[in-house]
């Protein structure tokens, strides 16, 4: 454990020989002294993933985030893990951190809204969609999601409004727009 590079190499050799528990033991020993080392975290995460230990993966990434501070990549990994175990409350809390750190990034409002829709919570989904609309009112993905939502409810007026706004997005290609028409 004193030489982290050797320990990482040794853990890789153990992994190649299907000795996953031993590899985890080696990496865990060096992780305690190297909590800010992303390579060690990723290698441990892959071993935990192979062993289907999602709770340990979440604890590992939370520990890494505590040691290094806020990082978007770490937060997105945590959201992915929380979604896999259907811990929506924790996933929304991480989204709230991301939105607080990057209030102009409408994409995370859309993603959080879609997560609320997955839970059938239309009220909170619409709140996030509205915030995303305030940032970028002509975004294709956002307006198309709202179009589908209102179309499902048979509210043709609002569905038409959002479809019209979606077509106003100049960054979306002609092919995407024609696929909707088909």
């Amino acid at each position: 454990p004193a030489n982290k590079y050797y320990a990482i190499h040794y853990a890789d050799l153990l992994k190649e020989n299907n000795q996953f528990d031993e590899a985890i033991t080696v990496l865990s020993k060096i992780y305690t002294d190297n909590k800010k080392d992303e390579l060690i975290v990723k290698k441990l995460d892959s071993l935990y993933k192979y062993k289907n230990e999602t709770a340990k993966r979440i604890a590992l990434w939370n520990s890494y985030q505590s040691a290094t501070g806020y990082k978007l990549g770490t937060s997105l990994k945590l959201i992915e893990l929380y979604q896999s175990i259907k811990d929506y409350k924790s996933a929304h809390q991480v989204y709230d951190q991301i939105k607080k750190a990057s209030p102009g990034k409408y994409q995370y409002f859309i993603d959080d809204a879609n997560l609320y829709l997955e839970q059938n919570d239309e009220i909170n989904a619409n709140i996030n969609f509205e915030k995303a609309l305030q940032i970028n009112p002509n975004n294709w993905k956002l307006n198309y999601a709202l179009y589908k939502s209102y179309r499902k409810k048979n509210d043709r007026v609002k569905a038409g409004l959002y479809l019209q706004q979606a077509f106003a997005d100049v960054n979306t290609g002609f092919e995407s727009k024609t696929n909707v028409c088909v």
Side-chain angles (χ1 to χ4, degrees), residues 103-166:
K105 300 279 185 172
Y106 61 88
Q107 180 61 44
Y108 302 113
F109 288 98
I110 296 170
D111 292 343
D112 197 20
N114 286 328
L115 186 60
Y116 277 116
L117 286 178
E118 192 176 307
Q119 297 173 254
N120 295 320
D121 184 349
E122 290 184 28
I123 295 170
N124 284 316
N126 287 334
I127 290 170
N128 279 285
F129 280 138
E130 288 298 323
K131 287 179 182 176
L133 278 172
Q134 291 172 359
I135 298 168
N136 189 353
N138 292 329
N139 178 266
W140 171 262
K141 185 178 178 183
L142 169 61
N143 282 295
Y144 188 64
L146 287 167
Y147 159 74
K148 288 192 309 187
S149 173
Y150 283 105
R151 185 172 169 228
K152 189 184 283 186
K153 296 178 197 174
N154 289 326
D155 187 342
R156 293 176 188 241
V157 174
K158 283 189 177 179
L161 170 74
Y162 289 118
L163 186 60
Q164 184 177 7
Q165 280 181 213

Side-chain angles (χ1 to χ4, degrees), residues 89-101:
K89 181 180 178 186
S90 296
H92 290 302
Q93 289 173 345
V94 177
Y95 268 126
D96 290 342
Q97 292 171 354
I98 292 172
K99 292 183 293 189
K100 186 176 180 182

Side-chain angles (χ1 to χ4, degrees), residues 56-75:
K56 287 185 179 181
R57 292 177 71 197
I58 291 171
L60 176 69
W61 284 104
N62 274 323
S63 172
Y64 176 69
Q65 190 169 39
S66 294
T68 60
Y70 172 80
K71 288 186 177 183
L72 179 60
T74 305
S75 295

Side-chain angles (χ1 to χ4, degrees), residues 34 36-43 61 64 71 74:
N34 300 284
K36 293 183 179 184
D37 194 320
E38 189 172 2
L39 178 63
I40 297 170
V41 172
K42 286 182 176 180
K43 289 192 176 287
W61 284 104
Y64 176 69
K71 288 186 177 183
T74 305

